[in-house]
Amino acid sequence: MVQKTSTRNPKVWFFAERTLIYALIAVFLFITLSPLIWVLSTSLKPNTEAISFPPKLLPESPTVENYLFVLTDPALARSLINSFIISIGSTALSVAVSSLAGYAFARFEFKGKNVIMSIILGLFMIPIVINIIPLYTMLANFGLLNSLLALMLTFQILIIPLNILLMKNYFETIPKELEEAALIDGCSRLGVLRRVTIPLSMPGFAIAAVLSFRFSWNEFILPVVLANRSDSMVFQVALYQFISLYRIDWGYLSAGITLSLIPVLVLMLTFQKQMIKGLTLGAIRE
Amino acid sequence: MKISKVICTSLVLTIVLVVSLAPGFTTPVVAQKQQVTLTAIVAEPKERWDILFNDALQKLREKHPDIDIQVDYRVLPYDATRTQILTAMVGRTPIDLISVDQIWLGEFAQGEFLTDLTERANTWGKEKDWYKTNWDGGKYNNKVYGIWAWTDVRAMWYWKDLLNQASLDPNSLKTWNGYITGAKQLNDALKGQGIQGMHLVGASHSPDMWYPYLWMLGGEILEQKSGHPTKGTYWFPAYNSTEGVRALEFIKEQINAGIKPQINHFWGQEFADKKFAVMLEGSWLLGTFPREQWANIDQRVGMLPMFSVPNENNMTATMMGGWILSIPETSKNKDLSWELLTLMVEPEVLTPMLQKEGYLPTQKPIGEGPYASQLNTTIPYYNEMISMISVGHSRPNVPEYPQIADNIKQAIDEIYFGAKEPKQALNEAALKSAKVLGW
Amino acid sequence: MPSIFEKAEPYLFLTPALAILLIFLIFPLFWNTYISLHDVSLTTILRGWEYIGGTNFINLFNDPNFYTSLKVTLMFVGGSVALQFGIGMLMSVLLHQQVRASGVLRAIFIIPWTISAVIAAFSFKFIFDYNFGILNYLLNEIGLQSVGWLSDPSIVIWSLVIANVWYGTPFTILFLTAGLLSINPTIYEAAVIDGATKIRSFIYITLPLLKPFIVINLILITMWSVNFFDIQLIMTGGGPLFASTTASLYMYRQAFEFGLLSKGASAGIVLIAINISIAFIYHKLFRR
């Protein structure tokens, strides 16, 4: 026994510490969740009740009509599908492209390596908004406005630099020896990638994918300018239509908000373990 | 042989009959219908455009049975509409019709984004039907660039029961002094109920609510002046005149009387929710009340068709808003778009929309003529609002207006927060505006 | 001897990424730089671009509103980063203390970041509203006076910071949790045996091991806060009296509300320069 004090003390200390921890967590839980609970509760109220003041937490006559409206209205449903297509496509593209680039930085030595890396990281510093007009002009000239493919490509600028960094660091944690062993065994470079590197890189892909999806799914300013034809609209832009200058359809809006956070949330929950592992190894070297 | 011949012939005949009657086979003979899709970018809310485009398109199709006309219109929030039009013009994307806020007209016309409609308008010949201010509002440098489709005016609305509670006679609010006294009286009486007396706009468009006081004193926002470095004669800030200072001092009195500027503007919803007893708001305020209540809303809500005046002999003034319809320079279907435009503002098409949404007309046939009764009976206080059109002013059509408005807003904010005195604030703002205008 | 094909291999791997970045980021950057040296506004963009050299930049630095916006940016970014990092670190550490259901809790704490910025900004605009907002409602219920969250020039920027912190902290939590999970728990056991308290082991063991995570995290959240303008635009539009106009919002307004595209572009370039300096400063600070 090292302690000189009575045996009660460590126990009390332990409980005090535990209580403090849980108390703090509870406070932050409350702060984090209250706006969201409010949104959820509003989404279950019929539109007329939604704008009542003073605000009531529990809906008097809960209804799912708002969700039904958002999911069945053809324009909104279409925009939801568009968002999915663009986000999934953009994610696939981003992961593929960033992995290739990250692999190059991790495994090869070549002229200009540091310069290119610095430029790529430097591009991350550009505020997106100043690019709107030149991007629009460029896409307009190539007839690519309102094209889902063009949006997929444009969203890359939000994510590629970060993903390249993460993938590069992640690949660096995979021992070169594994790949070299496979090479010696007669595998081609591409084969090595397929059989050795990629299976081991799942966590890296996980974090790159989740980040790409999140940024693509939530983007508002780029789609509003580059693709606002009714059949190429994305969900976030479509939702904004409920916020008109003269009237806010709180019920529909909050139902839409709740729906919009499900995909990213589900992704993060499902791949939490891999994602965090990918992030861990992806950040270690600086 | 004979039977087979009969069968053969009848078979052939049947086939010929079927083939000739089947629609799929007759179309190659008739020319394919020409297909035209008109694109439009308009500002929300969406409902009004649904009505207008629907009805106008129907008529357009009747006039051109040989063309398959479609309209693809995008409804965007105010800011996004402006950004979208901007980028579309720069990117030279063909758009056929746009809704233009009157304050953008100068900019867009100067930037050569808009089609010069003067010729078409003259042929159309409806200028005499329009209220002069509204027709001029669509012009820049004496050329017609847009048609002001509908407008709105700002008036004073009040809750009758709340004024009763404070023992306040609504008519006393007509003068500046009465307004100030009324504000204090209301605040005192309603303090415990969480209701404020007067509403005061503190949002980014606060200048719009200040201009009427400037105008009613005879002041102007801008005036022509010679000696400009590059343009000879051009606009010069005039809002820092003695009239302007006096108008801004009235705002200061309001602040001193306890009226608080509101940062967020909910366009009448805050009045409908009885957070304020008196509110200067646009005619769209009625839209915040359900249509069923319109019939006897005048029993609960009163309206004074004016902004308070310094003394009883002064004529009042108000600001007119609304939307202008224009055709971008990049449109590839200008004639058809023009036709659609004229159909959209035709009284037959426009009046039902105005009726439903509570907007005011910019043309006499609807305002006073045969269609007036339709609106008169459904829109509360319609006649009073129409009467305000004659004292309605519009903002200048200059390309630099957004910056000038920002200068004025800064001056107003400085009064709101007691940072400067009206004279100094206006002079400094005018200095900035002069620079903006190139002096 | 490496064949040409083998030498070219790395560049081939890089090509897709570089191609996309070149077209979608570098071309716009050049475009912006080009117009920042000319007089391009809504009224002249289709008619003629006059070369004016550095005049845009001179005008920019002569504009008192720009200086105000730099000051406001300092407050906004400083407050946001400090709070996001502080709270983020606290939460990551707390959840790391063998808390039950930590996986679920982490997922819940990430939710704010899964919404789009525009939606979050809009929600807070209403939460902070003087008349309709829930905050003032609750204050009134317990007898306190309403606060002008968005209408008082002296506190408006902090209201925006609160919104930004609610929105952005999840990212820090994610990042630092990844860092914490990378630390081998056995290191702590050794320390405890040596008599170290929790706090001491945190300062001397955890923090140094977290350094790479902390650095990248700080750089990212700082730059994101500098470039962010959705919250300011939607919640206050920059007022009152420019008290909530950050440099990013200033840039947006110049370009899109006033149609002064080249002035906006020059402000944008200044912002990029600020970002680069920040990255540089962090680099120097943590290079040990």
Side-chain angles (χ1 to χ4, degrees):
Chain A
M1 284 293 279
V2 188
Q3 315 290 74
K4 287 196 189 135
T5 49
S6 67
T7 48
R8 245 150 154 242
N9 230 343
K11 265 208 179 150
V12 169
W13 189 249
F14 179 73
F15 276 123
E17 191 190 281
R18 286 278 113 184
T19 317
L20 183 65
I21 291 178
Y22 280 105
L24 278 174
I25 292 182
V27 167
F28 284 116
L29 203 64
F30 178 72
I31 297 178
T32 306
L33 283 183
S34 20
L36 301 165
I37 295 189
W38 188 255
V39 168
L40 184 65
S41 135
T42 310
S43 71
L44 295 170
K45 298 179 191 161
N47 243 335
T48 44
E49 196 193 313
I51 55 167
S52 69
F53 192 88
K56 289 191 273 283
L57 182 61
L58 293 170
E60 271 175 1
S61 34
T63 165
V64 289
E65 69 186 21
N66 295 325
Y67 287 96
L68 286 176
F69 178 79
V70 173
L71 288 171
T72 55
D73 177 74
L76 284 166
R78 184 67 193 264
S79 70
L80 200 54
I81 295 176
N82 284 340
S83 279
F84 268 115
I85 297 177
I86 295 177
S87 302
I88 294 177
S90 163
T91 301
L93 183 62
S94 163
V95 170
V97 166
S98 312
S99 305
L100 282 176
Y103 191 76
F105 282 114
R107 290 284 184 251
F108 296 110
E109 283 305 323
F110 50 93
K111 239 170 45 147
K113 178 171 168 181
N114 280 328
V115 173
I116 298 182
M117 190 71 202
S118 314
I119 294 182
I120 291 181
L121 290 178
L123 288 176
F124 211 42
M125 322 235 170
I126 303 178
I128 295 298
V129 96
I130 56 171
N131 295 333
I132 295 181
I133 293 190
L135 280 176
Y136 184 94
T137 320
M138 187 170 67
L139 290 181
N141 278 329
F142 287 105
L144 284 175
L145 286 177
N146 292 310
S147 136
L148 296 187
L149 180 64
L151 272 188
M152 276 188 229
L153 288 169
T154 318
F155 285 173
Q156 300 307 306
I157 62 180
L158 305 163
I159 336 152
I160 290 190
L162 180 59
N163 276 353
I164 293 182
L165 179 67
L166 289 176
M167 293 313 293
K168 160 183 171 288
N169 289 337
Y170 191 84
F171 283 133
E172 279 172 358
T173 65
I174 298 181
K176 263 190 154 159
E177 296 74 37
L178 281 173
E179 293 180 349
E180 273 157 26
L183 272 176
I184 291 175
D185 278 349
C187 234
S188 68
R189 263 274 175 209
L190 229 52
V192 168
L193 275 176
R194 207 157 49 88
R195 289 176 209 210
V196 178
T197 325
I198 291 185
L200 285 176
S201 309
M202 283 308 168
F205 295 143
I207 184 67
V210 172
L211 285 178
S212 310
F213 191 88
R214 185 256 169 205
F215 277 104
S216 306
W217 181 261
N218 283 339
E219 184 56 30
F220 178 83
I221 270 239
L222 286 174
V224 111
V225 173
L226 302 175
N228 52 37
R229 209 170 56 195
S230 31
D231 56 351
S232 58
M233 221 183 264
V234 303
F235 195 57
Q236 303 290 346
V237 175
L239 270 192
Y240 208 71
Q241 288 190 332
F242 290 132
I243 308 177
S244 127
L245 209 52
Y246 300 89
R247 186 186 64 226
I248 299 176
D249 290 316
W250 284 110
Y252 300 146
L253 180 64
S254 38
I257 295 177
T258 320
L259 286 174
S260 81
L261 56 85
I262 292 179
V264 185
L265 192 60
V266 163
L267 261 188
M268 291 210 176
L269 269 172
T270 326
F271 295 106
Q272 210 189 86
K273 273 222 168 73
Q274 288 101 309
M275 201 174 87
I276 293 192
K277 180 159 179 232
L279 194 53
T280 306
L281 298 174
I284 285 200
R285 299 276 197 79
E286 194 227 313
Chain B
M1 283 312 132
K2 270 204 200 135
I3 296 183
S4 51
K5 253 201 185 164
V6 167
I7 293 178
C8 252
T9 330
S10 42
L11 261 176
V12 170
L13 273 174
T14 326
I15 293 178
V16 169
L17 209 63
V18 168
V19 158
S20 59
L21 286 179
F25 274 86
T26 47
T27 30
V29 183
V30 176
Q32 275 287 39
K33 251 186 161 189
Q34 192 194 347
Q35 219 276 352
V36 173
T37 303
L38 299 174
T39 51
I41 301 177
V42 290
E44 56 179 20
K46 190 167 185 282
E47 227 180 21
R48 55 194 179 179
W49 301 109
D50 289 339
I51 301 174
L52 284 182
F53 278 118
N54 201 19
D55 296 346
L57 184 59
Q58 240 179 324
K59 292 194 155 203
L60 190 64
R61 286 187 176 146
E62 282 164 24
K63 285 179 131 194
H64 296 270
D66 51 320
I67 315 179
D68 175 19
I69 311 177
Q70 303 286 337
V71 175
D72 173 24
Y73 58 97
R74 296 166 228 178
V75 185
L76 297 171
Y78 183 84
D79 286 330
T81 306
R82 183 182 151 85
T83 311
Q84 184 62 35
I85 294 178
L86 214 161
T87 39
M89 296 300 106
V90 171
R92 309 221 118 256
T93 306
I95 308 272
D96 297 300
L97 194 67
I98 51 177
S99 65
V100 177
D101 192 353
Q102 187 243 327
I103 50 177
W104 308 340
L105 193 78
E107 256 185 312
F108 288 179
Q110 180 74 11
E112 292 177 3
F113 298 162
L114 304 176
T115 313
D116 182 354
L117 301 169
T118 320
E119 288 265 335
R120 292 186 171 89
N122 284 338
T123 320
W124 190 37
K126 297 273 178 141
E127 181 175 346
K128 51 176 169 42
D129 281 351
W130 250 248
Y131 292 110
K132 185 165 189 315
T133 319
N134 298 127
W135 186 263
D136 289 343
K139 287 167 83 169
Y140 180 72
N141 277 350
N142 281 325
K143 303 203 192 107
V144 176
Y145 283 102
I147 305 294
W148 197 327
W150 65 80
T151 189
D152 44 61
V153 292
R154 287 133 181 82
M156 210 188 310
W157 306 85
Y158 59 89
W159 283 102
K160 293 188 174 175
D161 55 352
L162 294 180
L163 257 60
N164 278 340
Q165 220 184 312
S167 312
L168 191 58
D169 173 17
N171 288 315
S172 70
L173 299 174
K174 289 184 180 173
T175 61
W176 283 12
N177 285 335
Y179 192 80
I180 299 289
T181 328
K184 296 186 197 155
Q185 230 173 302
L186 282 167
N187 276 339
D188 282 334
L190 303 169
K191 205 168 13 190
Q193 302 166 48
I195 307 178
Q196 294 181 57
M198 271 48 168
H199 179 271
L200 182 60
V201 173
S204 53
H205 42 275
S206 52
D208 291 352
M209 303 303 280
W210 174 67
Y211 294 145
Y213 298 120
L214 172 70
W215 288 324
M216 67 174 63
L217 289 170
E220 281 299 337
I221 304 176
L222 300 174
E223 64 188 2
Q224 292 271 319
K225 187 169 149 174
S226 59
H228 190 271
T230 52
K231 299 187 190 172
T233 307
Y234 199 53
W235 298 101
F236 192 76
Y239 57 83
N240 57 336
S241 52
T242 35
E243 292 89 2
V245 176
R246 199 163 158 225
L248 200 54
E249 274 171 1
F250 177 51
I251 302 289
K252 186 156 179 235
E253 283 173 46
Q254 292 187 37
I255 300 286
N256 290 340
I259 302 180
K260 290 201 179 64
Q262 304 298 320
I263 284 275
N264 288 332
H265 192 183
F266 296 102
W267 307 97
Q269 187 66 45
E270 56 270 79
F271 179 81
D273 286 352
K274 258 188 168 162
K275 297 250 106 201
F276 296 90
V278 178
M279 185 171 183
L280 288 158
E281 186 56 280
S283 31
W284 56 73
L285 179 97
L286 296 166
T288 57
F289 292 92
R291 300 265 146 64
E292 312 86 66
Q293 295 180 17
W294 280 16
N296 38 28
I297 196 108
D298 53 349
Q299 288 169 11
R300 299 184 292 144
V301 174
M303 187 265 242
L304 289 170
M306 60 187 298
F307 273 61
S308 309
V309 283
N311 59 62
E312 271 143 19
N313 298 326
N314 241 108
M315 195 151 75
T316 189
T318 186
M319 208 209 77
M320 294 202 293
W323 286 93
I324 296 178
L325 293 173
S326 291
I327 300 178
E329 182 60 42
T330 57
S331 164
K332 297 205 152 68
N333 305 294
K334 292 194 184 158
D335 291 320
L336 212 55
S337 308
W338 170 250
E339 256 197 274
L340 183 66
L341 203 165
T342 55
L343 287 170
M344 285 167 81
V345 297
E346 221 179 72
E348 214 177 273
V349 173
L350 192 52
T351 314
M353 190 281 270
L354 300 182
Q355 199 174 350
K356 219 161 172 271
E357 303 290 323
Y359 299 134
L360 300 178
T362 48
Q363 35 180 315
K364 299 179 200 140
I366 309 182
E368 301 148 18
Y371 291 90
S373 51
Q374 213 177 328
L375 296 167
N376 202 354
T377 44
T378 41
I379 300 183
Y381 295 112
Y382 183 73
N383 285 333
E384 288 90 335
M385 292 197 277
I386 293 288
S387 74
M388 289 186 83
I389 295 185
S390 56
V391 295
H393 297 236
S394 64
R395 292 155 295 183
N397 261 0
V398 297
E400 300 86 354
Y401 178 76
Q403 296 175 68
I404 298 174
D406 196 56
N407 299 141
I408 299 179
K409 181 201 183 243
Q410 201 177 346
I412 295 179
D413 271 352
E414 285 163 351
I415 303 306
Y416 281 167
F417 295 101
K420 290 197 185 125
E421 288 298 304
K423 190 155 178 195
Q424 188 191 357
L426 282 176
N427 280 338
E428 287 179 8
L431 215 60
K432 292 183 204 153
S433 297
K435 249 184 113 196
V436 160
L437 288 161
W439 294 88
Chain C
M1 249 270 285
S3 69
I4 296 187
F5 178 69
E6 278 178 26
K7 263 183 137 181
E9 231 183 333
Y11 296 106
L12 285 176
F13 276 74
L14 280 177
T15 310
L18 287 182
I20 294 181
L21 289 176
L22 204 80
I23 300 175
F24 288 91
L25 262 185
I26 299 192
F27 160 67
L29 184 62
F30 282 154
W31 192 89
N32 275 308
T33 317
Y34 187 74
I35 69 167
S36 70
L37 297 172
H38 292 68
D39 176 22
V40 181
S41 65
L42 258 195
T43 51
T44 62
I45 189 158
L46 290 181
R47 294 158 73 194
W49 301 5
E50 201 194 312
Y51 179 77
I52 55 173
T55 315
N56 277 323
F57 292 94
I58 296 180
N59 286 339
L60 194 66
F61 288 114
N62 277 337
D63 185 356
N65 291 335
F66 186 63
Y67 282 110
T68 315
S69 79
L70 288 177
K71 256 199 302 177
V72 173
T73 305
L74 197 63
M75 288 194 284
F76 181 72
V77 174
S80 298
V81 170
L83 286 174
Q84 283 184 6
F85 185 74
I87 297 179
M89 174 69 90
L90 181 62
M91 289 320 298
S92 309
V93 167
L94 283 180
L95 287 175
H96 198 57
Q97 305 298 318
Q98 285 130 351
V99 169
R100 297 216 229 139
S102 57
V104 174
L105 282 173
R106 271 192 208 111
I108 294 182
F109 280 119
I110 290 204
I111 297 184
W113 203 56
T114 66
I115 318 180
S116 82
V118 163
I119 299 282
F122 212 76
S123 309
F124 272 94
K125 177 173 162 138
F126 278 92
I127 292 179
F128 281 130
D129 186 68
Y130 189 80
N131 292 307
F132 286 99
I134 188 103
L135 274 184
N136 278 347
Y137 173 70
L138 291 174
L139 283 178
N140 286 337
E141 287 287 291
I142 59 176
L144 292 174
Q145 275 243 345
S146 290
V147 175
W149 302 100
L150 299 177
S151 48
D152 185 341
S154 45
I155 66 173
V156 62
I157 191 67
W158 304 112
S159 307
L160 295 187
V161 167
I162 294 176
N164 196 21
V165 168
W166 182 87
Y167 183 65
T169 307
F171 180 74
T172 303
I173 296 181
L174 186 64
F175 221 79
L176 294 179
T177 301
L180 287 172
L181 287 176
S182 75
I183 301 178
N184 198 332
T186 51
I187 300 182
Y188 292 112
E189 289 166 21
V192 165
I193 291 178
D194 280 348
T197 64
K198 277 216 164 145
I199 299 196
R200 294 197 92 206
S201 55
F202 178 74
I203 298 181
Y204 291 105
I205 302 179
T206 318
L207 280 184
L209 284 176
L210 276 184
K211 198 176 92 167
F213 293 88
I214 294 180
V215 175
I216 299 186
N217 187 41
L218 280 177
I219 294 182
L220 285 176
I221 64 179
T222 310
M223 283 200 303
W224 281 339
S225 285
V226 170
N227 289 343
F228 209 32
F229 74 100
D230 312 42
I231 277 189
Q232 299 91 312
L233 179 65
I234 291 179
M235 285 175 74
T236 61
L241 281 181
F242 292 95
S244 64
T245 305
T246 53
S248 48
L249 183 65
Y250 179 90
M251 170 185 72
Y252 174 85
R253 296 192 73 206
Q254 293 297 317
F256 290 95
E257 281 180 30
F258 302 147
L260 298 171
L261 298 167
S262 44
K263 199 162 170 217
S266 49
I269 297 203
V270 172
L271 264 185
I272 296 178
I274 293 179
N275 276 332
I276 296 183
S277 341
I278 289 176
F280 205 62
I281 293 175
Y282 274 127
H283 208 188
K284 285 271 153 178
L285 219 57
F286 286 95
R287 187 135 284 272
R288 238 187 291 137

